[in-house]
Amino acid sequence: QQQVKQSPQSLIVQKGGISIINCAYENTAFDYFPWYQQFPGKGPALLIAIRPDVSEKKEGRFTISFNKSAKQFSLHIMDSQPGDSATYFCAAATSGSARQLTFGSGTQLTVLP
Amino acid sequence: SAVISQKPSRDICQRGTSLTIQCQVDSQVTMMFWYRQQPGQSLTLIATANQGSEATYESGFVIDKFPISRPNLTFSTLTVSNMSPEDSSIYLCSVGAVVLKNYGYTFGSGTRLTVV
């Protein structure tokens, strides 16, 4: 059972544009929602994360929007740059003792120069 | 955040053999996990490595195939046993920590395994 659904699978954006990636979850026990960026040959690196007590979090050009009632959250990359070209994963975790991350399927972002 | 050293970074192995992957962390961590990432795919949790006790495996993964050790709070190993080409994947070590009620999960750079 896929608990975190991510879309789109791939995204092409012009330099300077806005990249938007969406995720939806099913498990209402999730209370931690990070986004990871992965370059080829590297492990995922944490970009930004949010907890359900806020609706938006911004760090530089990256913003997470969170809709608890809809069980959806999204990543917005403002002023997208070619260096942002990577695979992005949303994830979710619970406060339970295990606290494992459940990942979305990933979005391959290409920012054209 | 913690710094993870994962070895080897890549390997090409013959089918039927075993490979042990090492994960060394620069600080003591409670939560330690092993993931598999098949080519072009997302990350799938294999198991949670528990210090001083047996690892906890996710559905579809068994100890005989993926034995895990965690002798202390800074080190763990994952062995991929009796390998077949289907085991060709990237294997990633991850650690988690709770800092000021925020969870931080850090990943190693991964081990790219090719089974021929």
Side-chain angles (χ1 to χ4, degrees):
Chain A
Q1 179 185 8
Q2 184 182 6
Q3 295 192 52
V4 181
K5 295 184 180 180
Q6 183 172 345
S7 63
Q9 185 176 3
S10 63
L11 180 62
I12 299 175
V13 174
Q14 292 287 339
K15 178 182 176 181
I18 302 173
S19 303
I20 301 174
I21 305 171
N22 301 299
C23 283
Y25 62 98
E26 299 168 5
N27 186 351
T28 55
F30 287 145
D31 61 358
Y32 173 70
F33 303 90
W35 284 89
Y36 283 84
Q37 178 188 56
Q38 186 177 31
F39 293 104
K42 301 291 185 183
L46 178 65
L47 256 185
I48 186 172
I50 197 169
R51 296 179 63 85
D53 52 350
V54 298
S55 60
E56 185 174 282
K57 183 175 181 180
K58 183 177 180 179
E59 290 184 1
R61 296 186 294 110
F62 301 94
T63 300
I64 298 179
S65 296
F66 185 82
N67 186 329
K68 187 175 181 178
S69 61
K71 293 188 286 185
Q72 296 176 346
F73 58 110
S74 60
L75 175 69
H76 296 232
I77 305 175
M78 312 299 288
D79 187 26
S80 299
Q81 300 295 312
D84 296 331
S85 298
T87 301
Y88 292 80
F89 293 97
C90 63
T94 69
S95 295
S97 58
R99 300 188 187 124
Q100 307 107 327
L101 288 170
T102 299
F103 282 86
S105 54
T107 296
Q108 187 164 356
L109 171 65
T110 301
V111 181
L112 301 176
Chain B
S1 59
V3 176
I4 300 173
S5 299
Q6 194 172 333
K7 295 179 182 179
S9 59
R10 58 178 61 227
D11 208 341
I12 301 174
C13 301
Q14 296 290 326
R15 70 172 64 202
T17 63
S18 298
L19 176 71
T20 295
I21 302 167
Q22 298 181 2
C23 178
Q24 177 74 55
V25 190
D26 68 343
S27 59
Q28 294 186 340
V29 292
T30 305
M31 296 179 281
M32 211 160 184
F33 309 99
W34 286 97
Y35 287 84
R36 182 174 72 182
Q37 186 176 24
Q38 294 177 307
Q41 301 297 313
S42 186
L43 288 81
T44 301
L45 181 66
I46 297 172
T48 301
N50 302 307
Q51 195 267 330
S53 64
E54 275 194 4
T56 304
Y57 290 83
E58 298 301 302
S59 176
F61 298 97
V62 295
I63 187 171
D64 289 346
K65 177 67 176 177
F66 298 101
I68 288 171
S69 78
R70 187 165 179 201
N72 55 52
L73 292 175
T74 63
F75 186 77
S76 177
T77 66
L78 169 74
T79 299
V80 186
S81 304
N82 188 24
M83 287 184 285
S84 66
E86 291 72 34
D87 294 320
S88 298
S89 286
I90 299 172
Y91 292 87
L92 294 146
C93 169
S94 173
V95 301
V98 179
V99 180
L100 300 176
K101 297 186 179 180
N102 290 309
Y103 304 115
Y105 295 86
T106 306
F107 285 82
S109 55
T111 296
R112 183 178 295 272
L113 170 62
T114 302
V115 183
V116 298

